Amino acid sequence: LEVTNSKSGWAFLNDVRKKELKLVSYTGSSNMFRCLQSASPANICACHQVVKFGNALFVNDVSQCPLLGEEVARREEISCFVSVPLKSKDKVLGVICVSRPLEEYYTERDLELMHSIGQHVGLAVENSILYQETRRKEELRGQLLSTIIDAQEERVRRNLSRKIRQESDRFRFFELWFQ
């Protein structure tokens, strides 16, 4: 926020299964960008347009976002916002939105900076997702390995038990034979 002289900011991650954006972090009002359209198939809000098309959205008139409008802009004292995709390998993983106080506007340079930040954060999110998947798979591999080892140990115990019984039976046979 400091780098772009922004008043508040929000980070959303794209929940592909639920087809909605989840608010994962914010500074400022958490309610301002709580999208009521997140479950709507239309999803015409700025954030969903950024996810859909993968391009940053530069909004110097908050009334362009159907979620915000003039009342919210006055209450939150913002004049404009930028929504930037969090991308990794041409895949949109989420959106960062930042807003500026009244009478302050974003420039093309600010948009370029936010785009760069979005790329870096997108890579970090992708790495985090991959790390979580790897950790989950490693836990599953450990459980499977434990199950295999338990099954092998049980098989060895059964084989040993069978061999002991056979030897015991053979010993009894010879014992009876020599009596």
Side-chain angles (χ1 to χ4, degrees):
L1 294 175
E2 287 179 35
V3 173
T4 60
N5 193 29
S6 297
K7 176 181 179 174
S8 43
W10 303 264
F12 300 90
L13 289 181
N14 193 13
D15 187 335
V16 179
R17 287 179 295 129
K18 293 183 179 179
K19 295 183 180 178
E20 68 182 14
L21 292 172
K22 285 181 132 177
L23 179 65
V24 293
S25 182
Y26 67 90
T27 297
S29 173
S30 67
N31 291 326
M32 190 164 74
F33 277 97
R34 192 167 298 260
C35 189
L36 302 173
Q37 298 180 6
S38 64
S40 167
N43 292 337
I44 60 172
C45 72
C47 298
H48 281 89
Q49 294 301 309
V50 169
V51 170
K52 183 176 181 179
F53 297 110
N55 298 317
L57 187 60
F58 193 36
V59 182
N60 272 330
D61 177 6
V62 294
S63 65
Q64 290 177 347
C65 183
L67 178 64
L68 295 177
E70 294 299 320
E71 182 184 325
V72 174
R74 263 189 312 250
R75 184 179 70 234
E76 300 294 334
E77 298 180 345
I78 64 164
S79 60
C80 61
F81 70 91
V82 174
S83 292
V84 178
L86 302 177
K87 280 182 155 181
S88 179
K89 301 174 190 162
D90 293 327
K91 181 179 174 185
V92 178
L93 303 171
V95 178
I96 291 178
C97 297
V98 292
S99 69
R100 281 223 169 129
L102 290 172
E103 305 306 319
E104 291 185 32
Y105 298 95
Y106 288 104
T107 65
E108 197 63 37
R109 187 168 179 235
D110 294 325
L111 187 61
E112 289 173 12
L113 177 61
M114 288 299 301
H115 178 73
S116 178
I117 291 169
Q119 293 285 12
H120 284 85
V121 172
L123 287 172
V125 168
E126 175 83 5
N127 287 340
S128 176
I129 290 169
L130 291 173
Y131 175 77
Q132 289 173 356
E133 286 177 3
T134 301
R135 199 173 83 213
R136 185 183 54 78
K137 287 177 181 177
E138 188 62 30
E139 286 174 9
L140 180 59
R141 186 192 65 78
Q143 291 171 353
L144 290 172
L145 184 59
S146 179
T147 302
I148 289 169
I149 289 171
D150 289 347
Q152 285 178 334
E153 286 175 349
E154 180 61 30
R155 192 175 69 200
V156 167
R157 278 192 290 274
R158 280 195 312 261
N159 283 343
L160 282 173
S161 177
R162 184 176 43 83
K163 286 182 180 181
I164 290 170
R165 275 195 315 271
Q166 287 173 346
E167 288 297 318
S168 177
D169 289 346
R170 199 174 308 155
F171 180 73
R172 270 191 250 139
F173 173 76
F174 284 117
E175 189 176 70
L176 289 172
W177 179 261
F178 290 111
Q179 282 185 348

